[in-house]
Amino acid sequence: PPETRAATPARTRSGPAPVTDVAKLCVCDLLVAQCDVNCCCDPDCSAADFSLFTTCSVPIVTGDNRLCSQKAAIYSLDVEANPPERIFKLIDQVNPSIFCIHATNYKQALYFNSPEMPTSENFDQLLKKFGSATFSAEPDSWNMNTDAQNPADTNETYRYEYGVPIQTVDAFLRLPSPVVSPWCSDANPAAFLVNQATKCSRSVSVEKCGSIQAVSMLFYINSSILAVNITVQSVVIQSLNGMRTSLNGSDVLRLPMILDELCINVVLGVSYHITYTDAGEIIEAAASFVLGAIKKEALSIQQSFEISFTQVNTKPVPLSGNPGYVVGLPVRAGFRPQGYPFPVEILFAALNTNKYGQFTILQSTSSQDCLAAQGARTPILFGYNMVSGCNLRITAAMKCQPLAQTLLDLLKGQSFPEYVASFGNSQAHDVLDWVPITHLHTSEQRIYNTFQSSCQIPVSLEIAVKWTKYGSLVNPQARIVNVTATITSTTLKQLPSGRERTIPITSSVVFTDVSSPAEPGYKAWPTINAKLPFDFFFPFV
């Protein structure tokens, strides 16, 4: 009833009138001032043209299909009429989806606003507004809920998702970084589960060093991450010549001060370490500082900032790519612990204990003495072909079996792996993500007269790694598909008493790309068997 409508209070925010008139919208009208065949919404078509149409190429015309309710223009042909004629209807269409837009009340999204061009007059204003790493393009009136609870008033923990800025009681956790220039911008927030490392320059003055907030430890720890306080994990003092000394007490707060024309206790580096739960709650935050001194002549300093994340009750495992391997990073490997196959979950549990120790080769030394090079190993880096070796001096007094075992340990190391990760981010519990190492043994025809009876000793280890480009052709990922370790042995016989012989011992690693090229005459489309980052599904973005 009219009186009821009059008593109903008006809404504070009502959507503007529709900007799209579907009755005048025609997507099949392509020819200018001409009738398009079977285009029932073409205003250039007459009744005589419509009588020749066989169908309507566009039977329905709507605006934004995300709206909950909107006008729709319906076009059809009455073929029973003589001559056939077009039928036009304008109806209200309801969106059956429960996720729809009730009203387009954000007016700025309905129009294209020409960007403001920088000039000498407005450059400083634009730099202040858009110069930081993040800025808001929303109007001040966008926040309709003015009575929302301030995050500073709550002591409850907050569950984060990947990439969400880490909140503090006043704003966000700062991770200064350069933006449009080498100078530090303090408006860059640290994002959850995003490891970052930045370097930037800071303008300083010895006379005012006590009043510059960004060179003080308090600037980085005086704000808690909601219910979690930021603690000081370590403090390192760096002298003017670069020597660093670690302080014994981590709870020491040192503020900048002037001493003999020097400003000491200036923050040169900050490293945050965040501990979180599997539910995305931050339970611990620690900061490590590097403090130094600046001279009176210094006009600026370089600061470094870093943030890393570790899940509670787990040990951090460095990745060699995400997902594919990155050239120059170590090839990740592991071995099968005792008790396999029960349980399967601990198949590659040993991976969490050592970053490089499972897949290494002999490291060459300046002396080139094999017996002196025991224990010197270097990690195998993806994509790097490597050759190393040493010389073994053999005398008639040496025993065969101990020498053979010593050389085998020298070539393979103390713990040679059984499996290699196919991807740079393969997790220990993903059994199918690991490639078994194939072991081969060959013998040389060379015979060294050393021992009374023939003796086989290993003289070389050749590791062949085959990899392929995996996933999309636009951004292929390196995937290891096969690893072969070949031990080559040689035969030794007795040497005359008092004589010596030198035998070369070598190790080598060769990486081979076995990707299949696109067949000639066919267009190379991206494949669909792509691997996602290991942390893609939680927290889901």
Side-chain angles (χ1 to χ4, degrees), residues 237-311:
I237 302 297
Q238 178 175 304
S239 62
L240 292 175
N241 59 6
M243 183 178 296
R244 294 189 175 187
T245 304
S246 179
L247 298 181
N248 294 329
S250 60
D251 57 346
V252 178
L253 180 62
R254 299 204 171 192
L255 301 179
M257 59 180 298
I258 300 177
L259 180 63
D260 297 334
E261 296 186 350
L262 296 176
C263 182
I264 61 174
N265 300 331
V266 174
V267 173
L268 300 180
V270 183
S271 178
Y272 291 107
H273 186 76
I274 308 298
T275 304
Y276 65 96
T277 65
D278 56 355
E281 298 178 359
I282 294 178
I283 61 174
E284 185 179 350
S288 301
F289 290 89
V290 176
L291 306 181
I294 57 176
K295 297 181 180 179
K296 185 177 181 180
E297 298 80 10
L299 300 178
S300 65
I301 60 172
Q302 187 181 61
Q303 294 179 310
S304 60
F305 303 93
E306 185 178 356
I307 186 170
S308 59
F309 298 84
T310 301
Q311 186 173 335

Side-chain angles (χ1 to χ4, degrees), residues 221-445:
I221 61 174
N222 63 352
S223 181
S224 62
I225 302 177
L226 296 186
V228 179
N229 294 324
I230 303 177
T231 59
V232 178
Q233 189 175 34
S234 64
V235 177
V236 175
I237 302 297
Q238 178 175 304
S239 62
L240 292 175
N241 59 6
M243 183 178 296
R244 294 189 175 187
T245 304
S246 179
L247 298 181
N248 294 329
S250 60
D251 57 346
V252 178
L253 180 62
R254 299 204 171 192
L255 301 179
M257 59 180 298
I258 300 177
L259 180 63
D260 297 334
E261 296 186 350
L262 296 176
C263 182
I264 61 174
N265 300 331
V266 174
V267 173
L268 300 180
V270 183
S271 178
Y272 291 107
H273 186 76
I274 308 298
T275 304
Y276 65 96
T277 65
D278 56 355
E281 298 178 359
I282 294 178
I283 61 174
E284 185 179 350
S288 301
F289 290 89
V290 176
L291 306 181
I294 57 176
K295 297 181 180 179
K296 185 177 181 180
E297 298 80 10
L299 300 178
S300 65
I301 60 172
Q302 187 181 61
Q303 294 179 310
S304 60
F305 303 93
E306 185 178 356
I307 186 170
S308 59
F309 298 84
T310 301
Q311 186 173 335
V312 65
N313 297 328
T314 61
K315 295 182 179 180
V317 179
L319 303 180
S320 295
N322 193 19
Y325 274 100
V326 176
V327 175
L329 294 183
V331 175
R332 305 176 68 238
F335 52 93
R336 192 170 53 189
Q338 295 181 356
Y340 180 80
F342 305 105
V344 178
E345 289 76 7
I346 64 170
L347 176 59
F348 298 99
L351 286 172
N352 297 329
T353 61
N354 198 334
K355 180 180 179 181
Y356 301 134
Q358 281 82 23
F359 210 23
T360 59
I361 64 171
L362 173 67
Q363 182 177 358
S364 299
T365 60
S366 57
S367 64
Q368 294 295 313
D369 186 359
C370 289
L371 298 181
Q374 295 186 25
R377 312 290 296 178
T378 184
I380 296 177
L381 306 179
F382 182 81
Y384 284 11
N385 297 335
M386 305 163 61
V387 177
S388 62
C390 58
N391 293 324
L392 176 65
R393 188 178 61 179
I394 299 178
T395 64
M398 288 185 174
K399 302 297 183 181
C400 175
Q401 295 302 327
L403 179 61
Q405 186 61 43
T406 300
L407 290 179
L408 189 61
D409 294 340
L410 181 69
L411 292 172
K412 300 180 65 174
Q414 295 296 324
S415 180
F416 196 80
E418 297 177 348
Y419 295 85
V420 168
S422 58
F423 292 97
N425 69 344
S426 297
Q427 299 299 293
H429 57 271
D430 294 333
V431 180
L432 298 180
D433 259 6
W434 296 85
V435 178
I437 299 177
T438 303
H439 295 270
L440 300 177
H441 295 271
T442 61
S443 298
E444 290 183 342
Q445 298 299 325

Side-chain angles (χ1 to χ4, degrees), residues 131-179:
S132 61
T134 59
F135 55 85
S136 176
E138 298 173 352
D140 297 336
S141 60
W142 177 256
N143 187 10
M144 298 174 58
N145 188 6
T146 57
D147 297 331
Q149 185 181 11
N150 192 337
D153 298 334
T154 178
N155 291 324
E156 296 182 358
T157 57
Y158 187 86
R159 295 188 177 184
Y160 289 91
E161 294 182 353
Y162 177 86
V164 175
I166 300 176
Q167 296 184 16
T168 59
V169 294
D170 52 355
F172 298 100
L173 182 64
R174 305 182 185 92
L175 194 72
S177 65
V179 184

Side-chain angles (χ1 to χ4, degrees), residues 457-485:
I457 63 169
V459 293
S460 70
L461 170 63
E462 300 175 0
I463 299 176
V465 181
K466 296 181 180 180
W467 64 280
T468 182
K469 299 181 180 69
Y470 183 85
S472 171
L473 295 179
V474 180
N475 184 25
Q477 302 294 311
R479 175 189 183 185
I480 294 178
V481 295
N482 181 268
V483 179
T484 303

